[in-house]
């Protein structure tokens, strides 16, 4: 047979373009073990969002020179008891804890900042060039009441800057957060507040407690308990009666010292400079005790109306934790950080129909018919993949029709068809998936031809 290119149009059905990956209805297995409450499977159809989110975070981390750190999922419970605060929801009721075979009480991490502060001390990171800028992503565990957007295992992406006291570090975190959201197609607004430092906050706490004591009979039962041990948390209460009371509560801005005030003002100047959208929220306190000075939360910018911000739906949050490393036995190390909830980001991306760029998806599908073609296809597939062709194959489908269906689902530009006849003739067929036109080409020239067609 002539090795010149030949064209022929086969009478194959023109394949339909279908939606990528669809999951069929659940099977009704009689006693199949069930997913644990508050946990979630991340199915193949979701992975495109997860990969995209991780890739965006990785690219921004590289650009801002943050280095990746991974800490264990299990830690000594003391790490969290000492840092997060005994009267917080996390420590009071949300930690997954267990006693291991050695009798140690351990916890599944509810967050990663405490672990990173521990790692900073354990690995002598104080001797590295400062500040140390770290980022992470991974699962966190909180035994809270599952509801929309709230899971018992969820995932966070977080960034931390250790050993930098200046407000430019707080501003850098907000810039990183904005950049990630923007690249994910989400437009966000920051709710921001300052909590002062351990010294100036005390005067505020006294005043706050006095105010709440005067309205004690209107407080919910939990807040009555918090009033004794941690009055700041009253500002965080979602009970309508308590939420109403906070509008008349004293505000921290009237109590903080000059240094804390200057830090906050400087940060706001930076934010104005970078054009970050923010609202001042004097009742924002965050659920963890270790925060000092700056605290912020990130919300989707639904509208310009500030009152539409709902704490329950924060995409992420963070702040400064100048005393955390010291609390754990290290030297005084001013630091700040934030974390996003990946599930929340993805749910908003889905709501907003964010289009995920599919540059990494396959461009070519290799369809194989018959035994001798399969043998040849294994090597051909690997040769083309190594040569930089984004190619896919599905050995479990036997017929050409079923393989073309897969090629369609993958939305490839070309399908290569290799059958017994082509193996004998030393040829291969290239099918243009948008026109259905097929051409027979020299098997040995397939790489050159494909590269030309794909513009590589
Ligand atoms: P936090 O560590 O509490 O500051 O939370 C930071 C972010 O993690 C939140 O804004 C959420 O996006 C996410 N997050 C926290 N708890 C959960 C949860 N139980 N389920 C899903 N996402 C969560």
């Amino acid at each position: 047979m002539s090795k010149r290119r030949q064209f022929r149009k086969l009478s194959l059905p023109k394949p339909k373009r279908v939606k990528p990956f669809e999951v069929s209805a659940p099977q009704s297995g009689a006693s199949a073990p069930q997913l644990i409450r508050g946990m979630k499977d991340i199915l193949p159809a979701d992975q495109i969002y997860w990969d995209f989110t991780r890739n965006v975070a990785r690219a921004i981390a590289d650009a801002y020179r943050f280095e990746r750190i991974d800490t264990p999922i299990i830690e000594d419970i003391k790490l969290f008891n000492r840092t997060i605060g005994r009267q917080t929801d996390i420590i009071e009721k949300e930690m997954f804890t267990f006693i291991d075979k050695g009798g140690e009480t351990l916890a599944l991490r509810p967050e990663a900042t405490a672990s990173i502060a521990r790692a900073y001390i354990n690995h002598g990171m104080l001797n590295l060039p400062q500040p140390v800028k770290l980022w992470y992503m991974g699962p966190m565990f909180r035994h809270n009441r599952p509801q929309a957007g709230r899971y018992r295992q969820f995932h966070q992406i977080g960034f931390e800057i250790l050993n930098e006291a200046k407000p430019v570090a707080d501003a850098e975190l907000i810039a990183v957060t904005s950049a990630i959201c923007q690249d994910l197609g989400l437009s966000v607004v920051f709710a921001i507040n300052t909590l002062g430092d351990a010294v100036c906050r005390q005067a505020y706490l006294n005043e706050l407690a006095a105010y709440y004591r005067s309205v004690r009979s209107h407080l919910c039962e939990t807040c009555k308990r918090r009033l004794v041990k941690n009055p700041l948390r009253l500002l965080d209460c979602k009970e309508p009666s308590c939420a109403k009371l906070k509008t008349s509560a004293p505000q921290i801005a009237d109590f903080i010292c000059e240094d804390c005030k200057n830090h906050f003002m400087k940060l706001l100047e930076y934010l104005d400079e970078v054009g970050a959208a923010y609202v001042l929220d004097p009742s924002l306190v965050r659920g963890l005790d270790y925060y000092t000075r700056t605290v912020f939360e990130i919300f989707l910018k639904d509208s310009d109306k500030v009152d539409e911000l709902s704490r329950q739906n924060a995409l992420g949050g963070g702040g400064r934790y100048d005393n955390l490393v010291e609390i754990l036995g290290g030297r005084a190390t001013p630091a700040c950080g934030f974390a996003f909830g990946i599930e929340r980001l993805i749910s908003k991306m889905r709501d907003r129909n964010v289009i995920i760029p599919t540059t990494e998806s396959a461009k070519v599908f290799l369809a194989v018919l018959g035994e001798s073609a399969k043998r040849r296809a294994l090597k051909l597939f690997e040769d083309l993949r190594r040569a930089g062709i984004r190619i896919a194959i599905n050995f479990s489908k036997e017929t050409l029709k079923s393989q073309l269906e897969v090629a369609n689902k993958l939305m490839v530009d070309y399908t290569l068809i290799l059958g017994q006849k082509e193996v004998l003739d030393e040829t291969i067929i290239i099918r243009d998936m948008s026109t259905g036109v097929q051409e027979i080409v020299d098997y040995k020239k397939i790489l050159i031809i494909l590269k030309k067609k794909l513009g590589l």
Side-chain angles (χ1 to χ4, degrees):
M1 171 185 250
S2 155
K3 292 282 162 68
R4 278 199 7 252
R5 286 194 200 182
Q6 296 178 23
F7 293 84
R8 76 175 175 203
K9 182 152 176 141
L10 294 189
S11 56
L12 284 163
K14 186 142 192 255
K16 291 196 300 270
R17 293 255 153 184
V18 295
K19 276 204 275 169
F21 203 90
E22 272 169 3
V23 181
S24 57
Q27 294 163 19
S28 56
S31 60
Q34 294 300 303
L35 188 66
I36 297 173
R37 194 155 179 252
M39 305 286 171
K40 190 175 174 229
D41 292 317
I42 305 170
L43 296 172
D46 298 324
Q47 297 293 345
I48 182 172
Y49 289 93
W50 283 78
D51 283 343
F52 180 55
T53 307
R54 291 185 195 111
N55 291 342
V56 163
R58 199 174 285 123
I60 301 284
D62 282 350
Y64 282 82
R65 312 306 303 151
F66 282 76
E67 289 183 294
R68 174 80 185 253
I69 184 167
D70 289 306
T71 59
I73 282 167
I74 301 174
E75 295 268 10
D76 188 327
I77 192 169
K78 290 199 262 323
L79 173 69
F80 304 115
N81 284 343
R82 274 165 71 177
T83 55
I84 292 173
R86 288 207 173 265
Q87 274 77 50
T88 59
D89 284 350
I90 292 181
I91 299 297
E92 275 187 339
K93 48 189 188 203
E94 293 179 355
M95 267 221 287
F96 277 91
T97 59
F98 63 99
I99 299 173
D100 79 348
K101 288 185 180 138
E104 309 260 10
T105 307
L106 305 177
L108 299 188
R109 62 180 184 192
E111 57 110 39
T113 304
S115 304
I116 288 171
R118 174 197 53 67
Y120 183 85
I121 302 168
N122 292 168
H123 301 282
M125 291 191 204
L126 191 63
N127 301 317
L128 299 174
Q130 304 293 304
V132 173
K133 294 166 64 178
L134 301 170
W135 80 285
Y136 60 88
M137 55 185 160
M140 308 294 155
F141 303 84
R142 293 184 197 171
H143 199 275
N144 44 24
R145 202 156 48 84
Q147 49 185 271
R150 195 187 288 179
Y151 304 99
R152 290 184 173 168
Q153 175 176 332
F154 59 98
H155 297 75
Q156 287 186 337
I157 293 177
F159 288 70
E160 316 281 352
I161 304 181
L162 292 122
N163 214 2
E164 177 57 88
K166 296 193 202 87
V168 67
D170 314 37
E172 182 176 348
L173 287 176
I174 290 185
V176 165
T177 316
S178 296
I180 292 176
C181 290
Q182 199 172 346
D183 286 4
L184 293 179
L186 301 174
S187 174
V188 291
V189 57
F190 294 85
I192 186 161
N193 191 22
T194 177
L195 298 178
D197 59 27
V199 181
C200 64
R201 192 190 306 171
Q202 196 50 52
Y204 174 62
L205 292 181
N206 295 342
E207 200 65 28
L208 192 65
Y211 164 74
Y212 276 117
R213 273 197 299 274
S214 72
V215 291
R216 190 173 185 283
S217 57
H218 302 286
L219 294 175
C220 71
E221 287 312 306
T222 317
C223 281
K224 280 181 185 154
R225 271 191 294 115
R226 285 173 176 157
L227 180 53
V228 185
K229 295 183 172 156
N230 192 349
L232 206 55
R233 295 299 319 285
L234 272 77
L235 294 172
D236 214 12
C237 185
K238 319 269 179 327
E239 287 294 323
S241 56
C242 301
K244 216 154 92 193
L245 290 172
K246 89 179 165 196
T247 47
S248 311
Q251 296 200 352
I252 184 110
D254 301 326
F255 292 82
I256 57 173
C257 65
E258 262 329 279
D259 280 354
C260 286
K261 206 173 278 178
N262 286 339
H263 185 98
F264 195 49
M265 295 316 290
K266 262 256 135 42
L267 170 60
L268 298 185
E269 280 169 25
Y270 280 121
L271 298 188
D272 289 335
E273 200 66 44
V274 296
Y278 66 87
V279 290
L280 300 178
D281 181 352
S283 65
L284 179 66
V285 291
R286 312 275 294 120
L288 302 94
D289 271 6
Y290 56 61
Y291 285 112
T292 48
R293 294 191 167 174
T294 318
V295 282
F296 63 89
E297 285 189 344
I298 307 143
F299 298 90
L300 203 63
K301 202 198 253 172
D302 277 321
S303 76
D304 294 335
K305 272 194 253 149
V306 174
D307 59 4
E308 284 191 14
L309 301 181
S310 151
R311 290 268 162 73
Q312 301 281 359
N313 296 324
L315 295 175
R320 193 157 262 289
Y321 49 91
D322 289 342
N323 303 326
L324 183 60
V325 174
E326 215 175 347
I327 291 169
L328 290 175
R331 282 202 229 154
T333 307
C336 51
F338 81 90
F340 279 124
I342 304 184
E343 286 79 1
R344 299 235 181 127
L345 288 173
I346 289 177
S347 126
K348 297 297 174 206
M349 285 155 68
R350 282 184 179 281
D351 286 355
R352 308 250 138 171
N353 294 320
V354 168
I355 310 273
I356 308 288
T358 52
T359 46
E360 294 304 313
S361 56
K363 293 271 181 217
V364 178
F365 186 82
L366 176 54
V368 188
L369 302 162
E371 230 7 79
S372 58
K374 268 188 191 164
R375 275 197 300 278
R376 177 167 280 194
L378 276 174
K379 179 158 183 342
L380 174 65
F381 178 79
E382 193 49 25
D383 287 348
L384 293 177
R385 194 187 67 79
R386 283 187 185 278
I389 305 287
R390 289 206 298 271
I391 186 162
I393 194 164
N394 188 331
F395 279 113
S396 60
K397 304 272 184 208
E398 295 291 340
T399 66
L400 182 57
K401 186 167 175 274
S402 61
Q403 293 185 64
L404 284 176
E405 274 165 17
V406 177
N408 258 307
K409 282 188 184 174
L410 294 174
M411 296 187 171
V412 294
D413 296 336
Y414 299 97
T415 295
L416 303 180
I417 302 169
L418 189 64
Q420 315 277 43
K421 182 171 186 312
E422 286 73 28
V423 172
L424 286 176
D425 293 349
E426 292 285 317
T427 59
I428 189 162
I429 298 169
I430 302 184
R431 179 179 173 94
D432 183 321
M433 296 302 283
S434 54
T435 60
V437 172
Q438 305 198 152
E439 57 184 301
I440 302 170
V441 300
D442 184 347
Y443 182 80
K444 292 192 196 69
K445 295 201 179 123
I446 187 63
L447 176 60
I448 301 166
I449 297 167
L450 269 182
K451 279 194 160 176
K452 202 165 161 204
K453 281 186 183 293
L454 294 170
L456 298 173

